[in-house]
Amino acid sequence: MSSHTIDTAMAKRMVEASAIRGASIIGQPGGWSVVLKLGMQEKPLGAQRSDKPRMWRSLDRCVDYLKKELHIARFELLDATNFSDVALVGKSREDASERLRNAHEAAAHDKWFREQVEIGLAEADDPAAEWVTNEEANASWAKKRAELVNPSPRESPRFSHGEV
């Protein structure tokens, strides 16, 4: 692979090693790109599986990506001189961002669910855990349902004729 751009994995390692001295967001026809400063050199952040600069259609998404993925929150330059929101000619992948967002949400839910299962298993293995039989649980819920259907007279509101 050519070295005209820096891919995200390499950029992450360089950020960890404090090798990136700065970042600039540059407006392009169709979106925004990022240029990383490495010593005296500047190289664009590359797109996945290619040596072309990565483009974001939204400045907010570009900044969000840099903050969350690369942990870069300060920028030396924001140049909107050449920015144009006119879409570039080529394949449009409008579904890609939605698909990726859904995949991230699913992964986050899976992580949360697995954590909840681990917590539940730890509670179940605790010798101090108190167990309730199915019959006891059914009886308790039957009692609660009956109370909701037929509240006791002292719990039900009393209205005189004409009150609302």
Side-chain angles (χ1 to χ4, degrees):
M1 182 178 218
S2 178
S3 61
H4 293 96
T5 63
I6 298 173
D7 67 353
T8 298
M10 178 60 76
K12 284 181 180 181
R13 290 191 295 268
M14 294 175 91
V15 167
E16 289 172 5
S18 300
I20 293 180
R21 295 184 51 220
S24 299
I25 299 175
I26 310 296
Q28 306 287 327
W32 303 91
S33 64
V34 174
V35 175
L36 301 173
K37 192 175 210 177
L38 316 163
M40 297 304 289
Q41 288 186 328
E42 291 184 345
K43 290 192 177 189
L45 184 62
Q48 194 173 23
R49 294 183 299 273
S50 78
D51 198 35
K52 295 179 182 174
R54 181 166 182 173
M55 295 283 290
W56 287 267
R57 290 194 176 141
S58 162
L59 178 59
D60 291 338
R61 291 242 170 99
C62 178
V63 170
D64 194 47
Y65 181 85
L66 291 173
K67 286 172 64 178
K68 290 182 179 176
E69 292 296 319
L70 297 181
H71 306 288
I72 297 174
R74 296 186 77 175
F75 311 105
E76 291 182 347
L77 175 70
L78 173 60
D79 182 0
T81 307
N82 295 322
F83 173 74
S84 169
D85 60 359
V86 175
L88 294 175
V89 177
K91 285 187 176 179
S92 175
R93 296 295 311 263
E94 295 173 8
D95 63 321
S97 64
E98 183 67 28
R99 188 178 65 247
L100 284 172
R101 232 184 332 272
N102 290 340
H104 285 291
E105 288 174 7
H109 181 268
D110 184 60
K111 180 182 176 194
W112 169 83
F113 181 77
R114 290 177 187 279
E115 289 171 352
Q116 295 302 307
V117 168
E118 288 297 321
I119 291 168
L121 289 173
E123 289 176 0
D125 289 341
D126 186 359
E130 293 183 26
W131 294 94
V132 177
T133 67
N134 188 44
E135 292 77 20
E136 292 171 331
N138 286 338
S140 172
W141 281 109
K143 181 180 174 185
K144 288 180 182 182
R145 280 192 300 274
E147 289 173 357
L148 289 172
V149 172
N150 302 316
S152 65
R154 62 189 151 105
E155 292 177 3
S156 62
R158 295 187 181 155
F159 298 107
S160 63
H161 187 68
E163 285 184 345
V164 178

